[in-house]
Amino acid sequence: MAALAAFTARSLKTDRPVPFGSSIVHTRSGEVLLRALNAVAREFDPSSHAEVRAIRLATKKLKNVSLAGYTLYTTCEPCPMCMSTALWAGLDRVVYGATIEDANRHCRQIQIHATEVAERSDMRCIVDGPILREQCYALFTHPKMLRAFRSWPTRKANRQRPATVNPSRFKAS
């Protein structure tokens, strides 16, 4: 996790820093298959979270949709989309640093923990964390990252009103 935090911290030296980084590691040997960063802004793709990108790159590299035998490390607890992707990929384990609550201090989050997503699935995946939480959370609180958050459409200060359900959808015809 320390190496992943250091890899992710390199983005703080760029014009588009991100606190979200992930790596896919062989569970038994510990060999790093690859690392990826969040690329939502760079790719204009709301699904380009670091975890999803790492899983996509790993399955392509291995030419296999299954990542059984691998562990996903991530600097922040996976959101429900990312955790679902990890489950569908068959990862053995997910290990995270900062928590959803940590990330939510700076940008909007879906408040469903990775453990809950895993528990509601019939697919097996161990979820461990937070691990090196302070080191990973430091990626969020770096001065350059705090400045960058101001331009993010999902920044905490730019909260949108909660979605509402149209009651007429549920009226009997």
Side-chain angles (χ1 to χ4, degrees), residues 108-109 153-166:
R108 293 192 311 256
Q109 295 293 310
T154 58
R155 71 187 179 276
K156 191 67 174 187
N158 191 28
R159 289 188 71 134
Q160 296 174 347
R161 292 186 321 208
T164 57
V165 176
N166 181 350

Side-chain angles (χ1 to χ4, degrees), residues 7-27:
F7 167 80
T8 306
R10 291 184 354 206
S11 82
L12 297 171
K13 297 175 185 171
T14 70
D15 291 339
R16 289 193 176 168
V18 292
F20 302 102
S22 290
S23 60
I24 304 284
V25 176
H26 192 271
T27 301

Side-chain angles (χ1 to χ4, degrees), residues 14-161:
T14 70
D15 291 339
R16 289 193 176 168
V18 292
F20 302 102
S22 290
S23 60
I24 304 284
V25 176
H26 192 271
T27 301
R28 290 184 191 229
S29 72
E31 182 181 341
V32 175
L33 180 66
L34 56 82
R35 294 182 182 105
L37 296 174
N38 176 297
V40 169
R42 192 177 76 231
E43 295 178 357
F44 302 101
D45 179 355
S47 71
S48 279
H49 291 198
E51 300 91 336
V52 171
R53 289 188 73 238
I55 291 167
R56 287 176 181 161
L57 292 167
T59 56
K60 285 179 183 174
K61 184 172 185 171
L62 296 172
K63 295 181 177 23
N64 192 339
V65 296
S66 173
L67 293 178
Y70 288 89
T71 296
L72 172 72
Y73 287 85
T74 183
T75 57
C76 187
E77 183 175 359
C79 74
M81 174 185 70
C82 294
M83 188 62 215
S84 296
T85 305
L87 289 165
W88 285 114
L91 284 156
D92 296 344
R93 186 171 166 226
V94 170
V95 180
Y96 66 88
T99 65
I100 287 176
E101 291 82 9
D102 294 334
N104 194 228
R105 290 184 188 113
H106 306 281
C107 52
R108 293 192 311 256
Q109 295 293 310
I110 298 171
Q111 300 292 323
I112 302 172
H113 289 278
T115 52
E116 183 177 348
V117 175
E119 288 166 0
R120 290 173 166 246
S121 169
D122 62 357
M123 297 170 261
R124 295 284 171 231
C125 182
I126 298 165
V127 178
D128 287 326
I131 305 292
L132 296 181
R133 180 179 183 182
E134 294 79 20
Q135 187 174 357
C136 291
Y137 184 59
L139 297 164
F140 289 82
T141 59
H142 185 279
K144 188 164 183 181
M145 192 65 243
L146 291 173
R147 283 190 301 277
F149 278 131
R150 292 183 204 139
S151 68
W152 285 27
T154 58
R155 71 187 179 276
K156 191 67 174 187
N158 191 28
R159 289 188 71 134
Q160 296 174 347
R161 292 186 321 208

